[in-house]
Amino acid sequence: MSGAETTQAIGPAEAGRTHAPATPRRATRALRHIVLPWAAGPAWFVASLLTWRVPDADDFPDTNELAALFAGIGVALLAAAALRRLSARAPWMIALGLGLATWEVAQAKLLLLPRPFFGTPQDLLDVFLTDWKRLGDSLLHSLGLLAVGYTVGSTLGIATGVGLGRSRHFRYWVLPVVRLVGPLPPVALLPLAFVLFPSNWLASEALMALASGFPVTILTWSGVAAVDPAYYDVARTMGARNRFLVLRVALPAASPQIFVGLFMGLGMSFAMLVIAEMLGVKSGLGFYMQWAQGWAAYPDMYAALLVMSAMCTGLITILFRVRDRLLGWQKDGLKW
Amino acid sequence: MVIAPTAPAERAAPLGIRLCGIHHGYRIGGVFTPVIGDVSLDIAPGEFVALLGPSGCGKSTLLRLVAGLEPPHAGQVLADGAPVTGPGPDRIVMFQDPTLYPWRTVRANVALSRDIAGRRDDAAVDAAIGMVGLKGFERAWPHQLSGGMAQRAALARALVNDPRLLILDEPLGKLDSLTRLTMQTELLRLWQKRGFTVIMVTHDVEEALLLATRVVTFRPRPAGVISDMSIDLPYPRHRDNPRLLALRREILVRLGHSEDW
């Protein structure tokens, strides 16, 4: 009786494993590994052909250059497909190629969207081709401003957080200040900062350090406060002094939390960077965007936005790479 | 298993511990709660002393005082006649949990005391890892180890420093019974070979009788000594040895468990 039941229970599952038609799965595999990778290049050729052959609705710059760029990307994608380097990204590349083709047709050929707020792909390309020097310069200025403020802010944040977590005296004197200043949006201090500091640059750096320092402080503190006291006992019985306990026990134990703080702080400093560049500092991507908007040069603004987005996501990627290296010991961690 | 060829002459001499009239307590919710009430003990160098008592009776606190992690409220802890003022590398504590640092590999965990002392002593670290049978796991992360392996790594970490006194706070309490048997044998072998002094807290009467040269029983909080007996049985001891069974009964009776036996 029970034997028959078991057979019945196992029967269908086993049949499913061995006799189920393998064709659908094989078809999916073929689609994923052959059809889609080889379709990515042609999608971009379609975009290139539409750009090149369909006449523009207005006098746009760089139409042929754009067609050539699309074609070049198409060739690169075909090469990637031939080298079997393109299965995971193939659907994205197809969508991107077709999306750009749609934009090109909708705006450059048919003028469906109101100008000047919506440019054409060739407008955007033109900005990169003609104004790359100023864009690059703005990027470097932004990175410089960010690097100083963020580094100072997060270093001070980690130090303050460790102090709050380890010393009662430090907590007594510093915590009220942290509670008073930290939750304040740093933007609120902007008018004051531009008056108080001798230069706009210094004011912006101070505000960016404040913006990134607060989350780093709080998360470092919570990380250090949560360290298992037994970890300290182990090191102390082996003769460890305070320096070792802070640098080699508290900091590594709190590092998962500290990285969350560094991540949040980086986001805060991006926000502060753009605000500072739009309001006080006369350089950088934020200033470029402000300027472009003033001249109604919307393609320039989109270009600056693209560069800024690449910068922010690049910096966050770097932060996560560092984190993955340093926190490889964790059982599980999220991947950026 | 590889055993480091170390001449006995190089070993540090075992430590003698004397506790004189120790009183200790904690403030819990604003009320002072005595934990240890007048404990005096004299532990000779090289002894293996088991401290037995109901859980929460203050034995672990006593170990913290011997380790120097806390100063006693009253009384004195003397190590070889000198008062203990703080923790020191010659008195190594092994806790109930392995407390390995999760951000260090097994090898780096074992090498902890070397790092603290600012020394690199690869041979000693390798020897300690080999001694507890963890060769091949040097580069593993603690979360990849089983409970028994983690406790072995903690033992290697304690031994790499060539301690004069090993303080064990229920080190085998959370292991499964088979791993526990292996670890007991291991511990005994190491003690016989290296000759350090051992003070071990346990609430397993059988474990105390299998390992220790002396068993001290404590009454519940505030902890005080109720009995102190030498176990002059030869090693290796067997669980079904009639002398051992008789001693076990005697101790259980002293701990107030006459009917449970």
Side-chain angles (χ1 to χ4, degrees):
Chain A
M1 181 65 189
S2 76
E5 267 174 22
T6 318
T7 323
Q8 243 175 2
I10 287 177
E14 217 166 19
R17 213 177 303 137
T18 50
H19 302 298
T23 22
R25 190 174 294 167
R26 196 178 296 160
T28 334
R29 276 178 59 89
L31 182 71
R32 189 175 303 149
H33 294 288
I34 298 164
V35 178
L36 288 179
W38 284 105
W44 287 75
F45 289 141
V46 169
S48 173
L49 213 62
L50 287 170
T51 309
W52 186 38
R53 298 308 296 175
V54 181
D56 284 350
D58 200 351
D59 186 19
F60 294 121
D62 301 328
T63 300
N64 290 337
E65 283 84 347
L66 184 68
L69 178 67
F70 285 165
I73 292 174
V75 171
L77 287 173
L78 281 184
L83 293 170
R84 299 180 175 282
R85 286 289 180 78
L86 189 78
S87 40
R89 299 217 168 119
W92 245 116
M93 294 319 290
I94 295 171
L96 204 59
L98 296 179
L100 284 169
T102 311
W103 179 18
E104 173 68 24
V105 170
Q107 193 61 355
K109 314 301 182 193
L110 303 174
L111 280 180
L112 292 179
L113 300 167
R115 291 206 286 169
F117 312 109
F118 297 95
T120 63
Q122 42 266 63
D123 284 332
L124 194 60
L125 178 65
D126 189 55
V127 176
F128 283 111
L129 287 179
T130 57
D131 212 18
W132 60 269
K133 211 165 165 195
R134 224 146 49 93
L135 266 175
D137 197 50
S138 303
L139 173 65
L140 285 183
H141 269 99
S142 289
L143 276 175
L145 194 65
L146 190 71
V148 175
Y150 180 65
T151 309
V152 170
S154 36
T155 310
L156 285 179
I158 291 174
T160 314
V162 169
L164 288 173
R166 294 273 305 162
S167 156
R168 192 178 302 173
H169 279 293
F170 190 88
R171 200 155 50 235
Y172 176 79
W173 287 108
V174 176
L175 186 56
V177 180
V178 170
R179 290 178 62 166
L180 185 72
V181 179
L184 204 62
V187 188
L189 293 171
L190 205 67
L192 189 67
F194 283 140
V195 175
L196 275 183
F197 286 93
S199 74
N200 283 355
W201 180 83
L202 207 60
S204 308
E205 294 293 18
L207 288 183
M208 219 170 339
L210 197 64
S212 56
F214 180 58
V216 176
T217 301
I218 297 300
L219 278 145
T220 304
W221 176 25
S222 94
V224 170
V227 175
D228 186 349
Y231 288 162
Y232 295 129
D233 285 346
V234 166
R236 281 179 63 210
T237 61
M238 293 176 179
R241 311 241 169 249
N242 205 33
R243 195 183 143 82
F244 190 95
L245 296 181
V246 168
L247 295 180
R248 309 288 300 276
V249 182
L251 277 183
S255 56
Q257 295 258 55
I258 294 175
F259 269 99
V260 177
L262 287 174
F263 169 72
M264 290 169 59
L266 193 56
M268 299 289 279
S269 63
F270 289 156
M272 202 55 231
L273 171 80
V274 178
I275 292 166
E277 286 178 344
M278 284 183 166
L279 294 182
V281 184
K282 296 276 176 269
S283 64
L285 290 167
F287 175 69
Y288 186 102
M289 276 165 62
Q290 182 86 340
W291 168 87
Q293 201 241 355
W295 287 95
Y298 286 96
D300 294 70
M301 207 181 75
Y302 288 124
L305 261 180
L306 265 181
V307 172
M308 189 182 285
S309 161
M311 177 186 86
C312 295
T313 198
L315 288 174
I316 293 216
T317 303
I318 291 173
L319 183 68
F320 269 79
R321 288 280 150 79
V322 172
R323 169 188 174 281
D324 289 346
R325 263 193 88 82
L326 290 180
L327 301 188
W329 50 270
Q330 280 192 308
K331 215 187 277 182
D332 39 40
L334 85 159
K335 290 270 176 281
W336 168 253
Chain B
M1 203 169 289
V2 183
I3 291 169
T6 317
E10 287 176 31
R11 297 240 170 266
L15 204 62
I17 292 288
R18 179 188 286 253
L19 305 173
C20 322
I22 301 282
H23 288 266
H24 200 67
Y26 294 107
R27 200 163 283 286
I28 299 168
V31 185
F32 183 80
T33 314
V35 175
I36 298 169
D38 196 23
V39 169
S40 294
L41 264 181
D42 207 342
I43 294 165
E47 265 192 302
F48 193 136
V49 181
L51 309 184
L52 254 180
S55 61
C57 80
K59 299 162 298 188
S60 299
T61 306
L62 199 63
L63 290 193
R64 290 180 69 80
L65 302 181
V66 174
L69 288 169
E70 294 172 36
H73 267 224
Q76 245 191 340
V77 181
L78 300 172
D80 272 357
V84 167
T85 52
D90 53 350
R91 286 163 282 131
I92 294 294
V93 189
M94 210 177 135
F95 299 95
Q96 182 171 21
D97 292 308
T99 53
L100 299 174
Y101 292 168
W103 59 91
R104 283 174 169 248
T105 59
V106 167
R107 186 166 210 294
N109 264 294
V110 174
L112 182 66
S113 63
R114 302 283 132 158
D115 279 0
I116 291 170
R119 283 191 294 165
R120 278 185 70 84
D121 199 342
D122 294 340
V125 174
D126 288 332
I129 290 173
M131 199 159 48
V132 298
L134 280 179
K135 211 150 220 105
F137 289 92
E138 287 94 340
R139 300 182 64 182
W141 296 112
H143 74 78
Q144 296 168 317
L145 302 181
S146 69
M149 285 162 84
Q151 201 54 277
R152 277 161 195 273
L155 184 62
R157 178 179 65 184
L159 293 176
V160 78
N161 218 28
D162 200 9
R164 303 175 61 201
L165 168 66
L166 194 57
I167 300 168
L168 305 173
D169 190 356
E170 292 184 48
L172 314 181
K174 285 190 178 170
L175 299 180
D176 65 273
S177 53
L178 286 177
T179 314
R180 203 175 161 132
L181 288 183
T182 329
M183 286 290 282
Q184 284 171 351
T185 318
E186 201 99 319
L187 205 56
L188 205 55
R189 190 176 59 78
L190 286 167
W191 167 69
Q192 287 171 330
K193 189 169 134 53
R194 309 269 285 240
F196 39 67
T197 313
V198 179
I199 305 179
M200 177 177 78
V201 156
T202 177
H203 46 229
D204 182 343
V205 181
E206 196 180 71
E207 181 172 274
L209 288 171
L210 277 173
L211 300 179
T213 55
R214 184 173 159 199
V215 175
V216 182
T217 22
F218 285 83
R219 82 171 80 84
R221 226 169 6 155
V225 176
I226 17 181
S227 80
D228 184 344
M229 48 174 91
S230 285
I231 314 298
D232 49 357
L233 293 171
Y235 297 98
R237 295 172 181 167
H238 292 285
R239 256 150 256 274
D240 43 7
N241 179 327
R243 268 282 286 148
L244 198 140
L245 291 175
L247 281 169
R248 182 183 136 113
R249 171 170 211 162
E250 190 183 334
I251 289 172
L252 281 171
V253 168
R254 291 199 188 192
L255 285 170
H257 288 269
S258 43
E259 288 87 23
D260 308 348
W261 168 240

